[in-house]
């Protein structure tokens, strides 16, 4: 499934800030699973592509360096940053269309396969599974 690969590449793209999409790069971009030099210590543990389901939709959280993005089937897209605040990892996102469910998240825990984030919106806590090699993790509900 190329879903995770496509989502990861979208999350890594930079924007001009003008709202216009940036031109595709002709260079080979690192995958979201590659740890950026700026991602060290606790931040290195949350790097990569993470998948969950919510309301029958796939939610992909992609973290690369200090950049983060969420992509949901159905079109919701959010992007922003990851950083430490008062000893915890925080995710700050801005969503197209003004969605507020996943704009500020606190990383509760992370291990090699599971990332738990509590969002300040009505979403609450979500548990994500690590997506390796551009493939969806096993065990996701299928429609």
């Amino acid at each position: 499934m190329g879903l995770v690969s496509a989502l990861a590449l979208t999350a890594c793209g930079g924007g001009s800030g003008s709202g216009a999409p940036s031109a595709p790069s002709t260079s080979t971009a690192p995958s979201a699973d590659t740890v950026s030099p700026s991602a060290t210590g606790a931040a290195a543990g949350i790097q990569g592509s993470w998948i969950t389901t919510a309301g029958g939709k796939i939610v992909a959280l992609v973290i690369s360096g200090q950049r983060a993005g969420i992509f949901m089937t159905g079109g919701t897209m959010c992007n922003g940053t990851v950083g430490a605040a008062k000893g915890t990892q925080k995710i700050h996102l801005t969503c197209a269309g003004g969605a507020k469910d996943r704009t500020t998240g606190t990383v509760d825990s992370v291990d090699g396969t599971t990332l738990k984030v509590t969002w300040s919106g009505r979403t609450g806590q979500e548990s994500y599974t690590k997506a390796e090699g551009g493939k969806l993790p096993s065990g996701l509900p299928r429609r």
Side-chain angles (χ1 to χ4, degrees):
M1 297 214 173
L3 172 68
V4 175
S5 297
L7 294 173
L9 290 175
T10 304
C12 296
S16 64
S18 65
S22 60
S25 171
T26 57
S27 65
T28 303
S31 76
D33 293 328
T34 303
V35 176
S36 164
S38 63
T40 58
I46 64 173
Q47 298 297 299
S49 300
W50 301 89
I51 307 292
T52 193
T53 57
K57 297 181 180 188
I58 295 173
V59 180
L61 171 61
V62 181
I63 301 171
S64 179
Q66 295 178 332
R67 304 284 306 155
I70 280 204
F71 308 90
M72 287 181 53
T73 51
T76 300
M77 293 189 308
C78 311
N79 64 56
T81 60
V82 176
K86 297 182 182 178
T88 61
Q89 291 291 324
K90 294 280 190 176
I91 303 169
H92 299 282
L93 303 171
T94 302
C95 301
K100 301 283 185 198
D101 293 346
R102 294 176 181 88
T103 56
T104 302
T106 301
V107 175
D108 298 321
S109 65
V110 64
D111 62 29
T113 59
T114 304
L115 170 68
K116 291 185 180 180
V117 177
T118 299
W119 298 101
S120 61
R122 63 185 168 137
T123 300
Q125 187 181 67
E126 285 186 311
S127 183
Y128 295 84
T129 302
K130 183 87 176 222
E132 297 288 350
K135 296 181 182 181
L136 293 174
S138 62
L140 288 176
R142 297 183 190 258
R143 291 185 92 182

